[in-house]
Amino acid sequence: MPDPTAARLFDTPMPLPLSALQNSPSFKALQPHAERMAQAQHSMRTLFANNPRRFAEMSLEAAGVFLDYSKNRIDGPILQLLLDLARERGVESQRDAMFAGEKINRTEHRAVLHTALRAPRSARLSLDGQDVIAEVHQVLDRMAAFSEQVRSGGWTGYSGKPITDIVNIGIGGSDLGPEMACLALRPYHHARLRLHFVSNVDGADLEAVLRSVQADSTLFIVASKTFTTTETILNAQSARAWFLRFAQAADLPKHFVAVSSNSALVRQFGIDEENMFPLWDWVGGRYSIWSAIGLALMLAIGPAQFAQFLAGAHEMDRHFQHAPLAANMPVLLASVGIWNRNFLHCSALSIAPYHQDLNRFPAYLQQLEMESNGKSVGIDGQPIMYASSPVIWGDCGTNGQHAYFQLIHQGSDITPVDFIAALHPSHILPGHQEQLLANCFSQSEALMRGKTADEVRTDLGHAGIAGSAAEALVPHRTFPGNRPSNTILVEALTPATLGALIALYEHKTFVQGVLWNVASFDQWGVELGKVLAKKIVAQLGHQEDTASDCDHHDSSTNGLIARARAVLSKQAMSE
Ligand code: G6Q
């Protein structure tokens, strides 16, 4: 099979057929608009100047989330065609199939029902004869009862002390969601409980946490859907070994609970079923914060606030299900992303939360979007001949402004930005919030407007720099502008608005996956990582210095293994 990536990257004349997406009438009709938008009279500066209603026309609110997508290189006809494209590619029917529990995860033959995890008790949904909503609420009730006990101090450690520290051991989807959400909802935390997250198999991660906690007041949550993930199981075993230096095996049930769908392995690890909170195969790892994987979050903020978190997401679900495409926030956000990726050829999207508590949100979205849509084969198994997920990266504002924003303003690639802010601060320090928001809004304005050479000359003139000295500086101080961004605002970062914000991006990712026709709910690239290291681990652990053991790889890998073995075996001998 020819490598489609090569065709895209090097423009080689490979005779590959156009895909259904590229053949769709709206996709074809959109192409000339990209050229049109490159002309000066269609720059965003001009579009704003010519239409005072642009912001009003290109912004909307749903589930407590406000989206301004007016600072994109789009206009009415483009937007219309993008929405036609969504319709032609079956976004509405695919969406309905997902909510109805159809097995839309075709490569794993599973339903995709994270939306059922936040449906109210009164909702109805059955899957393979099981009452999904009843099962979900049964687990939520168990989580709530457990959380209440821990939070009230009724659940005590082996010495009778209440729990003070909670250590979530998990990785990927079993770590990023709870960690991101716990950080985001910091002001809602129970005063006695400190939350820790251990994911990396690098023992430094666990060791640092173990140094900061006391065994008799620490609760470990081993969070692993499969309970086979090497990093998590090794970290959990090391945590248990550490714990048993202070306590007896009989004390384990007070200090170790599990979240998993694999009860046999949980039992084998030594955790009783009554200390295990289940999840189902129709919950993808990166969509699992709403399930028992959210236990750390529920412990931190309490069952009532966790219910608000679910309710916020559910409100966004209802909006996504029922709003017409032209007023449907996830569809609009996804469509603008498709325009930037497939027509303006932007290969990255930067996430800039102007809120310190959303520190881990870029990493969370990185997994959500890149793991879901980082694919180059369509659902039909054929190579796709267009770009799919952009690279998602970013950091909190205003820090990013003092670092990589240089590239965003003046770099050779155009990187769209999603600015995210809460209008109310989550602190009481005067003056900070105005600074923060001013920075957020002025960055998107500067990206859109840019600065012309004449404007630079005027500025230089005011600073007393003229003539050749000024002309030498002009190209460096000119900003092209016309660089796209979205701004997403919530009134305050609460459990409900955080839930809605996450659900917005989940559905955006879903819509883009449908348009790109990729299998958004599998992750074979991640699965590969889970098996690749196994062979080398065995080779690294081999103490005899016989190079032939690791000769099965290429010379680079063999050489790296040999170097590591030499150091590790010396270290083992000196211990
Ligand atoms: C998420 C991925 C992946 C997964 C981790 C942890 O969608 O599948 O990030 O969550 O690999 O898997 P376990 O929960 O099974 O340990």
Side-chain angles (χ1 to χ4, degrees):
M1 185 190 287
D3 177 3
T5 327
R8 271 202 309 275
L9 289 182
F10 306 112
D11 233 3
T12 48
M14 280 193 188
L16 285 166
L18 287 182
S19 65
L21 172 67
Q22 292 159 309
N23 264 326
S24 70
S26 314
F27 193 93
K28 285 183 176 160
L30 277 162
Q31 295 288 2
H33 286 279
E35 285 147 40
R36 179 173 65 83
M37 293 308 277
Q39 296 160 5
Q41 73 266 33
H42 297 292
S43 73
M44 280 194 269
R45 228 191 226 230
T46 317
L47 294 176
F48 271 102
N50 290 346
N51 179 8
R53 288 196 40 78
R54 188 172 166 88
F55 170 73
E57 287 168 5
M58 293 189 176
S59 59
L60 74 162
E61 186 158 15
V65 180
F66 177 81
L67 167 67
D68 168 19
Y69 58 99
S70 62
K71 291 193 182 100
N72 280 287
R73 288 162 63 177
I74 52 172
D75 59 7
I78 293 172
L79 201 55
Q80 192 50 54
L81 283 169
L82 286 167
L83 296 174
D84 291 346
L85 182 66
R87 219 166 277 119
E88 278 164 27
R89 301 304 306 140
V91 164
E92 288 151 305
S93 57
Q94 287 292 309
R95 171 198 63 194
D96 296 345
M98 174 175 73
F99 277 92
E102 284 178 36
K103 298 199 171 154
I104 62 161
N105 176 353
R106 301 217 187 98
T107 51
E108 296 177 321
H109 312 290
R110 289 175 183 166
V112 174
L113 276 176
H114 46 279
T115 52
L117 296 167
R118 53 229 191 186
R121 219 177 270 275
S122 55
R124 289 282 158 268
L125 183 69
S126 89
L127 178 70
D128 299 332
Q130 302 291 318
D131 182 342
V132 169
I133 306 295
E135 286 188 22
V136 164
H137 280 271
Q138 224 170 17
V139 176
L140 282 172
D141 290 345
R142 279 191 56 214
M143 288 165 63
F146 175 68
S147 301
E148 292 294 15
Q149 269 190 293
V150 173
R151 288 165 60 85
S152 69
W155 181 286
T156 52
Y158 64 85
S159 68
K161 285 191 198 154
I163 298 297
T164 56
D165 292 85
I166 293 162
V167 182
N168 188 84
I169 300 179
I171 196 165
S174 301
D175 166 73
L176 280 161
E179 190 198 17
M180 177 277 289
C182 280
L183 280 172
L185 299 176
R186 182 188 47 83
Y188 292 83
H189 283 204
H190 190 287
R192 192 186 66 248
L193 298 175
R194 284 183 296 267
L195 276 294
H196 311 266
F197 293 86
V198 173
S199 56
N200 201 336
V201 76
D202 182 346
D205 198 7
L206 177 63
E207 199 177 78
V209 170
L210 294 181
R211 281 215 186 102
S212 70
V213 298
Q214 300 294 320
D216 61 349
S217 59
T218 299
L219 176 76
F220 292 92
I221 303 173
V222 186
S224 174
K225 182 176 157 187
T226 55
F227 229 74
T228 56
T229 306
T230 324
E231 292 94 328
T232 301
I233 300 308
L234 186 54
N235 276 324
Q237 284 165 343
S238 299
R240 185 178 54 188
W242 170 85
F243 176 80
L244 290 175
R245 281 169 31 199
F246 308 95
Q248 308 298 315
D251 300 323
L252 283 166
K254 290 176 183 298
H255 294 269
F256 279 79
V257 299
V259 178
S260 185
S261 57
N262 194 335
S263 50
L265 288 183
V266 168
R267 237 178 292 119
Q268 205 173 307
F269 180 86
I271 295 178
D272 297 342
E273 211 139 329
E274 65 213 44
N275 281 350
M276 175 188 139
F277 299 88
L279 68 158
W280 305 268
D281 72 351
W282 41 262
V283 186
R286 53 195 173 279
Y287 300 87
S288 64
I289 175 64
W290 324 101
S291 72
I293 292 289
L295 183 62
L297 177 64
M298 191 193 271
L299 283 159
I301 66 173
Q305 294 295 354
F306 192 84
Q308 288 300 308
F309 175 64
L310 298 182
H314 179 66
E315 206 179 326
M316 185 57 79
D317 291 344
R318 287 181 54 77
H319 166 77
F320 178 48
Q321 265 186 298
H322 302 296
L325 295 192
N328 193 308
M329 195 180 287
V331 173
L332 289 164
L333 194 60
S335 298
V336 166
I338 294 283
W339 173 250
N340 288 338
R341 183 70 178 120
N342 298 103
F343 297 92
L344 303 185
H345 308 293
C346 303
S347 57
L349 169 68
S350 190
I351 306 294
Y354 277 64
H355 197 304
Q356 188 58 29
D357 295 337
L358 284 175
N359 211 2
R360 294 292 285 160
F361 201 55
Y364 180 81
L365 293 187
Q366 198 168 57
Q367 177 184 36
L368 177 64
E369 297 204 24
M370 291 171 73
E371 199 173 341
S372 297
N373 291 335
K375 318 274 161 79
S376 52
V377 165
I379 294 225
D380 52 5
Q382 295 303 310
I384 56 170
M385 291 306 297
Y386 41 84
S388 57
S389 176
V391 174
I392 309 288
W393 60 283
D395 198 357
C396 270
T398 59
N399 301 4
Q401 284 174 220
H402 295 263
Y404 56 79
F405 263 60
Q406 167 59 36
L407 178 148
I408 292 180
H409 283 288
Q410 289 186 305
S412 53
D413 288 306
I414 294 183
T415 304
V417 183
D418 278 4
F419 291 95
I420 303 170
L423 299 178
H424 277 299
S426 59
H427 58 83
I428 51 162
L429 299 178
H432 287 248
Q433 187 67 358
E434 292 76 7
Q435 276 286 347
L436 181 77
L437 294 177
N439 272 282
C440 176
F441 301 159
S442 59
Q443 286 295 319
S444 73
E445 183 181 30
L447 284 169
M448 182 275 285
R449 286 184 64 79
K451 197 171 198 179
T452 64
D454 281 343
E455 286 168 346
V456 174
R457 282 188 193 98
T458 308
D459 275 4
L460 289 171
H462 290 148
I465 307 168
S468 58
E471 285 312 309
L473 287 174
V474 167
H476 299 282
R477 296 177 66 151
T478 300
F479 290 80
N482 212 20
R483 298 201 163 197
S485 68
N486 294 304
T487 300
I488 295 173
L489 301 177
V490 292
E491 207 170 298
L493 190 59
T494 63
T497 56
L498 179 68
L501 190 61
I502 301 171
L504 166 64
Y505 275 96
E506 283 179 349
H507 296 321
K508 170 213 166 179
T509 304
F510 171 80
V511 172
Q512 292 193 330
V514 171
L515 286 163
W516 287 322
N517 191 35
V518 295
S520 296
F521 297 100
D522 66 22
Q523 55 283 316
W524 300 107
V526 169
E527 304 303 332
L528 176 71
K530 293 191 180 184
V531 292
L532 277 184
K534 286 203 168 119
K535 202 157 105 193
I536 298 185
V537 165
Q539 290 165 347
L540 284 176
H542 203 285
Q543 300 303 317
E544 291 154 36
D545 195 16
T546 48
S548 59
D549 280 351
C550 37
D551 267 356
H552 331 290
H553 307 275
D554 56 89
S555 63
S556 161
T557 312
N558 286 338
L560 296 171
I561 294 171
R563 266 187 100 81
R565 270 168 57 119
V567 172
L568 292 178
S569 57
K570 250 192 240 153
Q571 187 188 323
M573 272 170 0
S574 67
E575 276 165 6

